[in-house]
Amino acid sequence: MRVKRAEKYGFCSGVRVADIKVKRFAAKRGEGAILGQVVHNERVVEEMENLGVRTVRDLAEVEEPVVIFSAHGVPPSFHKRARTLGLDILDTTCKFVYDIHKEAKRALEEGAHLVFIGDPGHREVVGYTNDLDPSTYHILQNVEQARDVDWSSYASIRILYQTTLNADQFDDVVRIIEKANPKTRRADTICYATKQNQVAARELAQDTEVDVVIVIGGKQSANTRHLHEICGNYKPSYLVQGADDIDPAWLEGARCVGLTAGASTPDYVVQEVEDRISSL
Ligand code: SF4
């Protein structure tokens, strides 16, 4: 059985930088806790815990002198709150996430109503919206929610996407708003790494040589889920967190297995999965 990797997959620059920053901090015997998973990958979280950096869900749980903000970012008020609690901050927020914070601020100053396309429970989206007046924004995930609002009542609208979405999937949602309010502008905030991984995953799944696709990534990783959805449109596709999750029955009769991975999947996990498939 042959394995063919996507042209582009796995760790993006933001996650790579976050990973390096936390490992450097741990190597210097820094005592810190990460607010939320540093990246959405259970193996990376386990690795950090083995280095002595634990994960917490709330700032109030931090007992260490340093709080680490993840690549997804936090609401701006969390910086102030951390300092009030006497904590030092190691900020690993991705540059592209900060770009969206800035774009949202600019749009509000221009008087626009904000529409975030994304998951309201995702830390990245919470980071953008937590400190805002609820009347200044909406978070949308589907067309039903988009149909429920009178968009024509706003002077102008700025649409911002969670960085790891598959934009095509939300085109219907955005078109409802654009139709109702001609002063709607889309900000292209889907991150380049997400786009590249998605394009390469689509090409891989469309490849006539490939019979089955395995997508590797964390359970909570939004971008991994979207890769899985894209590949599933063309070939039988399975989402795994690591080599142990592979069921040999999936690959029966397959001559070539396509392999791709979400932006929070470390290279060694991709290699472990490839070795497992090759050994079958
Ligand atoms: S997927 Fe993009 S936005 Fe998210 S951490 Fe990676 S580079 Fe940054």
Side-chain angles (χ1 to χ4, degrees), residues 12-15 71 94 96-97 163-164 191-194 263:
C12 58
S13 59
V15 168
C94 176
F96 300 116
V97 171
T163 53
T164 47
C191 148
Y192 83 98
T194 306

Side-chain angles (χ1 to χ4, degrees), residues 5-278:
R5 294 192 188 193
E7 280 290 322
K8 191 83 190 55
Y9 60 88
F11 262 16
C12 58
S13 59
V15 168
R16 237 174 249 285
V17 169
D19 189 59
I20 291 170
K21 280 187 178 171
V22 179
K23 283 183 180 156
R24 274 196 198 139
F25 170 79
K28 288 187 194 152
R29 300 193 168 275
E31 285 177 54
I34 304 171
L35 185 63
Q37 298 185 333
V38 66
V39 294
H40 281 156
N41 187 287
E42 288 70 17
R43 285 288 294 277
V44 176
V45 172
E46 203 182 300
E47 214 184 318
M48 297 302 171
E49 279 180 2
N50 290 337
L51 291 170
V53 182
R54 68 190 182 105
T55 300
V56 294
R57 297 181 63 83
D58 191 88
L59 272 177
E61 292 171 38
V62 181
E63 290 159 4
E64 295 80 350
V66 179
V67 61
I68 300 166
F69 291 148
S70 78
H72 303 113
V74 293
S77 63
F78 279 30
H79 287 259
K80 199 170 161 207
R81 212 177 126 209
R83 280 192 290 270
T84 310
L85 291 167
L87 300 169
D88 285 329
I89 297 168
L90 173 60
D91 190 3
T92 73
T93 304
C94 176
K95 170 191 174 304
F96 300 116
V97 171
Y98 268 134
D99 285 347
I100 299 181
H101 279 273
K102 282 186 213 146
E103 175 71 25
K105 190 164 177 264
R106 219 174 6 246
L108 281 176
E109 283 164 4
E110 287 167 16
H113 183 76
L114 302 180
V115 175
F116 293 94
I117 310 285
D119 174 359
H122 194 286
R123 277 188 180 270
E124 182 190 325
V125 178
V126 173
Y128 301 137
T129 55
N130 183 76
D131 296 350
L132 299 180
D133 172 345
S135 68
T136 60
Y137 71 91
H138 279 85
I139 305 173
L140 302 181
Q141 284 185 296
N142 54 51
V143 286
E144 286 75 27
Q145 291 168 339
R147 284 194 190 114
D148 253 7
V149 181
D150 175 13
W151 301 108
S152 64
S153 65
Y154 299 109
S156 66
I157 296 172
R158 187 76 42 88
I159 293 178
L160 302 130
Y161 297 85
Q162 185 180 332
T163 53
T164 47
L165 291 187
N166 172 5
D168 296 347
Q169 217 183 326
F170 296 93
D171 220 42
D172 290 354
V173 177
V174 174
R175 269 194 269 119
I176 289 172
I177 305 170
E178 285 173 338
K179 211 171 150 199
N181 189 323
K183 293 215 162 150
T184 300
R185 256 179 58 200
R186 304 186 191 200
D188 183 10
T189 55
I190 308 245
C191 148
Y192 83 98
T194 306
K195 281 186 203 150
Q196 287 179 344
N197 280 4
Q198 288 175 354
V199 168
R202 188 171 290 112
E203 281 170 8
L204 179 76
Q206 287 176 325
D207 188 324
T208 49
E209 278 186 13
V210 171
D211 302 303
V212 180
V213 181
I214 302 286
V215 183
I216 316 162
K219 269 190 280 187
Q220 295 183 48
S221 161
N223 76 83
T224 308
R225 265 200 318 274
H226 298 134
L227 291 180
H228 183 218
E229 282 159 14
I230 289 170
C231 294
N233 290 332
Y234 306 98
K235 295 282 161 65
S237 301
Y238 302 95
L239 184 56
V240 299
Q241 287 188 75
D244 293 344
D245 296 340
I246 291 177
D247 179 347
W250 299 339
L251 312 180
E252 249 168 49
R255 277 174 304 171
C256 180
V257 179
L259 207 58
T260 182
S264 44
T265 310
D267 300 339
Y268 63 82
V269 176
V270 179
Q271 191 55 51
E272 284 168 11
V273 171
E274 177 163 348
D275 291 346
R276 167 91 173 111
I277 296 169
S278 305

